[in-house]
Amino acid sequence: MLYAVPCRDLHVANHFARSPQIAIVDEQRQIKQIVPLIDSDTSCNKKKQWISVLRSFDVKSVVVRYIGKKMLAHLFNNDIRVLASRGKAEIGALDFDNLREVTDLDYGRELRNSGCSNKTCGEKGHKKQASILMAHPNQLGAIRGFRK
């Protein structure tokens, strides 16, 4: 069985979607591959990269330290087993049989900032961009003679 581990410098990264790399590890704790994640201005793109890697390697288990509720729900919905690790553990020293299995969405963290929502991501842009346009809706009214 293959495990996907969010990593930074061969240690378990603190947050699933913000990790710079994914380590693909087998049951004998041998790292098969380190997959770099492309930096993105949105968390949605990183999450899409994660899903792509999980599918391409046919990973059935992931190791996490912290993860958001939406991503955790997505993993559960795709029958991916989630294991909890202590922070900054060395990947080669992980004992997959002794990691606690996450079975409840309460383990996941709530969304901290607005970021993307399912409604806007990939369709009409991001909320962050839309809020910039909506911040001063009457700005054009300041120009004399201009009416909406």
Side-chain angles (χ1 to χ4, degrees):
M1 176 188 298
L2 292 178
Y3 297 85
V5 183
C7 70
R8 179 183 305 273
D9 302 324
L10 298 177
H11 289 82
V12 177
N14 273 338
H15 196 283
F16 184 82
R18 294 186 196 129
S19 64
Q21 304 163 324
I22 303 171
I24 305 298
V25 185
D26 66 12
E27 292 173 344
Q28 288 77 34
R29 294 180 270 188
Q30 294 180 1
I31 296 174
K32 295 296 183 186
Q33 188 163 351
I34 300 282
V35 180
L37 295 174
I38 300 167
D39 281 336
S40 175
D41 57 343
T42 67
S43 61
C44 289
N45 287 335
K46 277 246 183 147
K47 291 172 188 174
K48 288 175 185 176
Q49 289 178 62
W50 258 101
I51 298 304
S52 174
V53 169
L54 294 177
R55 286 184 181 147
S56 66
F57 285 94
D58 196 29
V59 171
K60 298 297 181 198
S61 293
V62 297
V63 176
V64 301
R65 172 71 176 141
Y66 298 116
I67 187 168
K69 283 192 179 196
K70 283 186 180 182
M71 191 65 190
L72 184 58
H74 188 75
L75 294 175
F76 287 161
N77 290 338
N78 285 288
D79 296 321
I80 296 175
R81 185 174 168 219
V82 179
L83 304 171
S85 169
R86 61 181 175 78
K88 299 187 180 182
E90 188 177 337
I91 292 175
L94 288 174
D95 184 359
F96 298 110
D97 294 329
N98 288 325
L99 294 177
R100 182 174 59 106
E101 185 168 0
V102 175
T103 58
D104 194 323
L105 279 177
D106 287 336
Y107 182 84
R109 292 186 164 198
E110 292 292 335
L111 188 61
R112 206 171 44 177
N113 55 20
S114 62
C116 296
S117 70
N118 291 336
K119 195 174 198 179
T120 61
C121 185
E123 290 179 15
K124 296 181 182 178
H126 293 77
K127 281 185 178 178
K128 205 175 207 180
Q129 293 170 342
S131 67
I132 291 170
L133 297 176
M134 299 304 290
H136 305 288
N138 295 327
Q139 189 175 16
L140 295 177
I143 300 173
R144 186 166 286 229
F146 183 86
R147 293 188 181 169
K148 290 185 182 179

